[in-house]
Amino acid sequence: MSERDSGGSGRAKAAPRSQAAFGAFVRKPVERAKTTGHALEAAASDAAMRVETVESWPDDAVEVGAVVDAYGLKGWVKVAAHADAGRGGDALLSAKRWWLMKGHERSSAPALQAKIHSDSIVAHLGGTADRDAALALRGTRVFICRSDFPALEADEFYWVDLLGLDVVNVAGVALGKVADMIDNGAHSVLRIEYPATGKDGKPVTGERLIPFVGVYVKTVDQAAKQIVVDWEADY
């Protein structure tokens, strides 16, 4: 049993497995047809950064990191991913377009190149031609469409897909909903919230922590929006 998320963008695994090495894909040159003026204009538009609005923002945008600095002199940016490249941060390497938010300003840009560098990810975005343009992006939150996340193994789940799922035990007792995921280093943990009553008789929000490992988590049914666990309500 394992799972991924992206701020929610990571993946937890019952046992570690090797990561695919990052590499460049080289395409053979092909003969290109002559490009018309309209096509050139469209291509230039696709390669540039563009202003976005709340209405044009994708419904499945997931925050995966933030721009922390410029990288080099040619417009590259350095990104601190909310999850490492094997836990959802790899979406930054594969997504063709990044969605950016700084304060209330929204924009998007094509990811022309992206690669792992030390403990971060560096990328060259369309519209950032020099270091000054890259520096202007510091503090920008980076989002990727959930549909652009890499495909998973059958027993893997992105954290973002687990949030909000109902949790019941094998006896059918409702334990609450997944409010968050925690990484304790060895494995991921489900943080579950449920309605409870405080000592003063007033309603409060209770919390349960259940390790996301096969001995406790029996099934994850995303279609039914439910996780079944071997866990007693009074644990």
Side-chain angles (χ1 to χ4, degrees):
M1 176 73 62
S2 61
E3 113 301 342
R4 288 197 191 190
D5 149 289
S6 189
S9 67
R11 139 181 103 177
K13 301 187 174 186
R17 62 192 184 95
S18 60
Q19 299 294 332
F22 178 82
F25 293 89
V26 181
R27 295 181 179 177
K28 294 181 179 179
V30 295
E31 184 177 350
R32 299 183 180 276
K34 291 183 179 180
T35 308
T36 66
H38 289 300
L40 285 171
E41 185 177 339
S45 176
D46 288 342
M49 187 174 295
R50 68 188 186 208
V51 175
E52 302 291 347
T53 65
V54 173
E55 290 73 21
S56 65
W57 199 255
D59 293 334
D60 64 342
V62 178
E63 185 172 354
V64 293
V67 177
V68 293
D69 206 352
Y71 175 74
L73 303 174
K74 298 183 178 180
W76 286 60
V77 295
K78 183 177 180 180
V79 177
H82 293 331
D84 65 35
R87 300 166 54 83
D90 44 0
L92 285 163
L93 302 176
S94 59
K96 290 182 170 48
R97 193 163 201 90
W98 290 13
W99 300 81
L100 311 171
M101 186 183 299
K102 187 172 185 179
H104 297 295
E105 297 180 357
R106 299 173 187 246
S107 60
S108 70
L112 305 179
Q113 290 179 272
K115 61 183 180 181
I116 298 172
H117 178 72
S118 186
D119 60 349
S120 61
I121 290 174
V122 294
H124 187 202
L125 304 179
T128 55
D130 54 38
R131 185 174 178 83
D132 288 342
L135 286 171
L137 291 177
R138 283 188 299 187
T140 297
R141 297 158 62 193
V142 180
F143 296 74
I144 299 295
C145 289
R146 173 63 184 84
S147 56
D148 287 337
F149 279 34
L152 301 176
E153 300 287 340
D155 63 343
E156 294 181 325
F157 307 90
Y158 281 111
W159 285 7
V160 67
D161 295 335
L162 300 179
L163 301 181
L165 297 191
D166 293 314
V167 180
V168 300
N169 66 16
V170 291
V173 177
L175 301 180
K177 290 181 180 291
V178 180
D180 197 5
M181 298 295 300
I182 302 169
D183 185 355
N184 69 3
H187 53 70
S188 294
V189 178
L190 297 165
R191 187 174 74 80
I192 300 162
E193 291 184 350
Y194 61 95
T197 303
K199 294 180 180 179
D200 57 1
K202 295 182 179 180
V204 297
T205 299
E207 178 182 272
R208 291 187 174 94
L209 300 178
I210 301 178
F212 194 91
V213 293
V215 66
Y216 300 121
V217 178
K218 298 308 176 185
T219 62
V220 177
D221 190 337
Q222 289 180 264
K225 299 185 181 302
Q226 185 181 81
I227 299 174
V228 177
V229 296
D230 186 1
W231 196 269
E232 296 300 324
D234 56 356
Y235 281 3

